[in-house]
Amino acid sequence: MTLWQDQAEVLNDRLTLMLRNGATGFILVFVVLTLFLELRLAFWVSLGIPISFLGAIALMPGLDVSVNVISLFAFILVLGIVVDDAIIVGENIYRHQEEHGEGLRGAIEGAREIGKPVTFAVLTTVAAFMPLMFVPGMMGKIFRVIPLVVIPCLLFSLVESLGILPAHLSHIPRRGKPGPWRRFQSLFSNGLKVFIRRVYTPILETALQWRYVTAAIGLSTLILTGGMVLGGWANFHFFPSIEADFMSASVTMPQGTPVDVTSRAIDKLEEGATRLRTRLQEETGMDYFRHVSTAVGDQPMLSRGGGPMGPVDTVAAANVGEVTIELAPAETRAFTSEQLGNLWRESTEAIPEAVEVNFSMSMMNPGDDVDVQLAGPDIERLRDAANAVKARLAEYAGVYEISDSFRAGKEEMQLGIKPAAETLGLTLQDLGRQVRQAFYGEEAQRIQRGRDDIRVMVRYPEADRRSLGDLENMRIRTPNGGEVPFSQVAEVQPGRGFASIKRVNRNRAVNVTASVDAAVTSAGAVISDLQTRILPDVLAGYPGVFYTFEGAQAEQVDAVGGLQRGFILALLMIFALLAVPLRSYVQPMIIMAAIPFGLVGAIWGHIVMGLDVTMMSMFGLVALTGVVVNDSLVMVDFINRARRVHADLGRRIREAGGRHTSSREFDSSGLQLAIREAGSNRFRPILLTSLTTFFGLAPLMLERSMQAAFLVPMAVSLAFGVLFATFITLILVPVSYLILDDVQRTVRRIFGSGEPAEAQAGPEDEPVAVGGAAATARVAEAASS
């Protein structure tokens, strides 16, 4: 006895892989925090990760989410994001405690100051992940697990960062004499402060001075990246092959083929597998095959959708067969299951008598790469059109396994009636009934014999019904009781029936399918050329025949369409959530301007990593929209607060006798000071939130195991998008804010309106002091000068 298709082993391997990547990501996140923050602060900030994860795990049974590869991937995905709010809150509390040295007061002031933007920042991330729950099709059913894990984690992290973290940080003691670790850590924290003062602040001042040039450079980056995408630098592949531990080859012979003929075809597949096994052993020194299973008369793997995980759909007939190979674990192999499947195909002799030969080597398959459904009223015209399309598909490099769905039935003798028979009163029904009675028989009576029901059939003797000649020698009775030779009233032709009849909207339908080698070309390029050039040209000769795309293309249209609608909805929700804390309909546009640049970073990440853009990448892009606006929201909120403080200080200085500085001049200088201070104050938390997100996903992005390959594009989209958006937040968001102020000043100058609304302090913002006493002194000095 031998274990076969042990899915527990497969599951354990994948869960171990994800848990290892998650643990490595957590360690990297903690290391990043400890290098730039105090060890105790880093510890309390990192504690938000297990608290959030445990809260989400507690809700998983109620949300009908199990522990699987996708749910564990969701935890890895949110690993670096879930500490963003804790970093922002913890760093702000730490900054206040540094100013006056009081733990409790610093915790209260820091949490109150940052509470509103952090709350709405988390809600925008939740809004970005929500559309993933409503993607239609197979992809939506699988990956809806991601938001069901991520959203609870984010909400629990919000509660922890605003309700629990300040209490912990309020007890951090005053700094004593620095020890060895403190001195080592100060190299990074002080070095970051020096970098902010000597590098970032001068760059920001230059960007603000040349703000329109800076904005033009950012816009040109968007245009350049768009041109690279359109130029084919980043290919789109809807659903990549998922690494499998099994691969199979199935063969379908014509209907009526005896078992021994099917067995000979299966032998060729086995011989090809044996040749490949021997070749791999000679080249690599290891056995890639653990088990080989052959079935004649059934296709157990194909009936499960090409993989061991699919639903069972029995396909039992003498004309089908299959060979299934269980491979060595993916970690021990140098070849992917897809590469091995292609090598097996090359090692197998052609089976010209087969209707279809199909190789399957992926865990999940959304459908054939190319699936053109031809429909029309005439089946013969459909078959001719299908053959023409297959011939044109064969001209493409990298397109293989070209076939169609039409299956001829068993061989049969098709009867027809001659005109002479109609004069005798015979019909085709009479002819068919008499031939059936002669060769199959007519039930004369039934005899009960014990528990058995015995049917007595009357038919020709066996010697008189064994050949076509016996049919031609048969005599047909006429309605008046006479008999005439079969050949005088009927004609017979050999032919085949239909194995099945497929209709779509009351029209007969035939599907032409093919597979595409992604290393040679892409399915999107083939389908685009078919749609624009080949199909219109071919079908012009077959009137009444029309086409639609099914298979992976139809799944792609459903999934991408649903994702686009969800993306638009997410943008609207994010805009509404940003407008509430900012009390503005214009400033949210500044923040959301970071979203396209996050997409630029994601595209560049795919190019750098040498990956195709897949549906998983698009999931990452949608989720990215909520993550990239978080830091921008906090930045703009701090600029607004600093601007209100400076404006209030300016009014007090003018009232005290500083009459030589006009309100507009002071507001302009105060705004630039507010932007510089907000940039300097928010540089560290913005950098840390981006680094934790990136390093939390870094182990998965660098994972060499083939089992995690299909998840990497989503991680790349999120990690590189956030990293690139960091520079946008630190440079372009302040620049955009100043450009917006220029536009508002121009409008006020033209229409003669009053002071800007942003310069007026709101009642809930009165107790806040941004920048501390040093900032007040700088503003007073600038005003007096």
Side-chain angles (χ1 to χ4, degrees):
M1 294 179 67
T2 302
L3 283 174
W4 172 248
Q5 293 188 7
D6 184 3
Q7 296 304 317
E9 182 180 350
V10 176
L11 177 64
N12 286 331
D13 289 344
R14 282 165 170 75
L15 294 186
T16 302
L17 170 71
M18 304 306 287
L19 290 171
R20 185 179 72 244
N21 280 279
T24 308
F26 176 78
I27 292 172
L28 288 176
V29 168
F30 184 74
V31 168
V32 169
L33 292 175
T34 54
L35 289 178
F36 294 100
L37 301 175
E38 281 196 354
L39 183 60
R40 287 174 178 166
L41 176 60
F43 171 77
W44 289 119
V45 168
S46 301
L47 190 64
I49 296 176
I51 292 175
S52 304
F53 281 14
L54 289 172
I57 291 170
L59 295 181
M60 284 173 64
L63 297 173
D64 195 25
V65 177
S66 64
V67 177
N68 55 61
V69 174
I70 305 299
S71 61
L72 289 181
F73 170 68
F75 281 111
I76 295 176
L77 195 69
V78 80
L79 181 65
I81 303 172
V82 82
V83 293
D84 286 359
D85 48 356
I87 289 173
I88 295 172
V89 173
E91 194 276 341
N92 202 50
I93 291 174
Y94 180 66
R95 185 170 60 84
H96 277 267
Q97 291 173 339
E98 276 186 324
E99 287 183 1
H100 47 66
E102 298 180 25
L104 181 60
R105 177 186 164 193
I108 295 173
E109 289 178 353
R112 286 181 60 188
E113 181 180 20
I114 207 70
K116 183 168 67 175
V118 163
T119 300
F120 283 92
V122 171
L123 293 179
T124 57
T125 308
V126 170
F129 275 94
M130 284 184 66
L132 301 186
M133 290 194 293
F134 307 107
V135 176
M138 182 195 75
M139 297 287 289
K141 295 176 182 177
I142 295 172
F143 294 105
R144 66 184 291 271
V145 171
I146 293 177
L148 291 177
V149 170
V150 170
I151 292 175
C153 283
L154 293 173
L155 296 178
F156 277 105
S157 75
L158 178 62
V159 174
E160 192 274 340
S161 62
L162 293 178
I164 302 175
L165 181 63
H168 289 151
L169 298 184
S170 66
H171 301 297
I172 290 182
R174 292 172 180 264
R175 287 189 171 188
K177 185 179 179 181
W181 171 255
R182 179 76 61 79
R183 288 194 294 269
F184 173 75
Q185 188 266 342
S186 64
L187 295 176
F188 291 91
S189 57
N190 294 334
L192 183 61
K193 292 176 182 177
V194 172
F195 179 86
I196 294 172
R197 186 174 63 253
R198 295 184 179 178
V199 179
Y200 169 66
T201 301
I203 291 176
L204 179 60
E205 290 178 352
T206 304
L208 293 174
Q209 183 180 356
W210 298 89
R211 48 189 173 275
Y212 293 98
V213 175
T214 305
I217 292 173
L219 184 61
S220 64
T221 305
L222 277 177
I223 296 172
L224 175 64
T225 305
M228 293 174 65
V229 172
L230 295 176
W233 282 58
N235 293 321
F236 179 74
H237 188 195
F238 171 60
F239 195 76
S241 176
I242 299 179
E243 182 62 24
D245 294 299
F246 296 86
M247 60 180 184
S248 64
S250 59
V251 62
T252 303
M253 306 294 285
Q255 284 275 354
T257 301
V259 171
D260 57 339
V261 177
T262 305
S263 181
R264 286 196 293 271
I266 291 295
D267 289 342
K268 293 185 178 180
L269 295 175
E270 285 187 302
E271 291 166 2
T274 302
R275 282 192 290 269
L276 175 61
R277 187 176 196 172
T278 304
R279 172 186 161 189
L280 291 173
Q281 285 178 330
E282 293 174 352
E283 293 178 356
T284 64
M286 68 170 288
D287 189 2
Y288 274 62
F289 297 179
R290 298 177 68 177
H291 303 292
V292 180
S293 170
T294 300
V296 179
D298 193 9
Q299 294 174 337
M301 193 67 75
L302 186 67
S303 63
R304 291 178 178 265
M309 312 290 285
V312 179
D313 182 20
T314 304
V315 182
N319 63 313
V320 298
E322 185 179 79
V323 178
T324 302
I325 299 174
E326 182 177 354
L327 300 171
E331 293 77 13
T332 63
R333 291 189 265 119
F335 295 94
T336 65
S337 58
E338 186 172 12
Q339 292 171 332
L340 291 172
N342 290 330
L343 291 173
W344 186 11
R345 182 187 294 107
E346 295 169 3
S347 301
T348 302
E349 296 179 7
I351 308 175
E353 64 273 18
V355 174
E356 181 181 23
V357 179
N358 181 56
F359 288 82
S360 176
M361 45 273 190
S362 178
M363 179 66 74
M364 287 184 292
N365 187 4
D368 293 292
D369 295 334
V370 178
D371 188 341
V372 184
Q373 186 178 86
L374 304 174
D378 187 352
I379 186 62
E380 294 301 327
R381 186 174 294 175
L382 279 179
R383 292 184 63 185
D384 293 341
N387 290 331
V389 172
K390 288 194 294 184
R392 298 298 293 271
L393 276 173
E395 299 173 2
Y396 289 96
V399 177
Y400 57 94
E401 288 186 356
I402 303 170
S403 64
D404 63 64
S405 61
F406 179 82
R407 297 289 180 267
K410 295 181 178 180
E411 292 184 359
E412 61 185 19
M413 309 308 298
Q414 298 175 351
L415 304 180
I417 195 165
K418 293 181 177 180
E422 296 178 356
T423 61
L424 299 175
L426 286 172
T427 64
L428 189 59
Q429 182 181 0
D430 296 329
L431 179 65
R433 186 181 66 254
Q434 292 189 43
V435 171
R436 185 179 188 277
Q437 289 172 342
F439 286 81
Y440 179 75
E442 182 79 10
E443 183 179 332
Q445 68 179 103
R446 295 191 183 190
I447 301 173
Q448 194 72 24
R449 186 172 294 172
R451 299 178 59 183
D452 298 326
D453 186 31
I454 307 299
R455 300 185 181 187
V456 179
M457 306 293 290
V458 178
R459 58 189 176 196
Y460 282 4
E462 185 176 358
D464 295 337
R465 49 184 173 88
R466 297 182 61 180
S467 67
L468 182 60
D470 294 326
L471 177 63
E472 294 174 345
N473 293 332
M474 179 182 174
R475 302 184 71 83
I476 303 299
R477 292 189 183 88
T478 61
N480 59 12
E483 293 183 355
V484 293
F486 176 88
S487 57
Q488 289 186 5
V489 295
E491 56 188 7
V492 60
Q493 292 181 347
R496 284 186 177 272
F498 300 110
S500 62
I501 297 176
K502 181 179 180 180
R503 293 185 185 273
V504 176
N505 295 330
R506 301 179 66 186
N507 283 296
R508 296 293 292 273
V510 175
N511 289 57
V512 178
T513 59
S515 298
V516 177
D517 187 353
V520 179
T521 184
S522 66
V526 173
I527 289 173
S528 177
D529 192 51
L530 281 173
Q531 193 169 14
T532 57
R533 188 173 63 90
I534 300 298
L535 290 174
D537 180 46
V538 170
L539 299 185
Y542 301 95
V545 176
F546 55 93
Y547 73 92
T548 56
F549 286 104
E550 302 295 330
Q553 179 68 11
E555 182 73 24
Q556 175 180 328
V557 170
D558 286 345
V560 173
L563 208 55
Q564 287 175 344
R565 292 189 294 272
F567 181 68
I568 295 172
L569 179 62
L571 291 180
L572 293 175
M573 294 173 63
I574 290 171
F575 180 84
L577 289 169
L578 293 176
V580 172
L582 297 176
R583 294 183 294 172
S584 168
Y585 293 119
V586 180
Q587 289 187 359
M589 303 304 295
I590 297 176
I591 297 172
M592 295 180 70
I595 293 175
F597 291 97
L599 306 184
V600 168
I603 296 298
W604 278 92
H606 281 77
I607 295 174
V608 170
M609 299 290 289
L611 300 172
D612 288 341
V613 177
T614 68
M615 193 63 191
M616 293 296 297
S617 307
M618 299 185 70
F619 284 167
L621 295 178
V622 173
L624 180 66
T625 58
V627 179
V628 299
V629 302
N630 292 352
D631 294 331
S632 301
L633 170 59
V634 176
M635 171 74 82
V636 171
D637 183 77
F638 260 72
I639 294 175
N640 287 341
R641 290 169 180 269
R643 186 177 184 182
R644 284 190 285 267
V645 170
H646 294 163
D648 184 60
L649 181 61
R651 281 193 294 271
R652 290 201 298 268
I653 292 175
R654 289 194 300 273
E655 292 169 0
R659 312 262 181 208
H660 298 290
T661 304
S662 69
S663 172
R664 295 185 186 277
E665 289 173 352
F666 193 93
D667 184 61
S668 176
S669 62
L671 174 60
Q672 296 213 21
L673 278 173
I675 290 176
R676 284 196 286 270
E677 286 178 16
S680 299
N681 288 335
R682 304 321 301 157
F683 185 93
R684 181 169 61 179
I686 288 174
L687 179 66
L688 286 180
T689 55
S690 301
L691 289 179
T692 54
T693 301
F694 184 84
F695 282 103
L697 293 168
L700 186 62
M701 289 191 296
L702 301 176
E703 177 62 56
R704 296 296 94 192
S705 172
M706 294 171 285
Q707 300 186 67
F710 80 105
L711 298 172
V712 171
M714 186 171 183
V716 168
S717 292
L718 203 54
F720 280 90
V722 168
L723 203 60
F724 190 79
T726 301
F727 301 101
I728 304 305
T729 302
L730 293 171
I731 301 296
L732 277 187
V733 168
V735 165
S736 302
Y737 193 104
L738 201 54
I739 291 175
L740 174 64
D741 184 72
D742 291 345
V743 173
Q744 290 176 334
R745 289 176 183 279
T746 303
V747 172
R748 286 198 301 273
R749 227 179 352 254
I750 294 173
F751 296 99
S753 25
E755 291 296 319
E758 289 81 355
Q760 302 170 6
E764 73 277 16
D765 298 319
E766 288 176 0
V768 177
V770 178
T776 305
R778 284 198 300 273
V779 176
E781 181 185 351
S784 63
S785 65

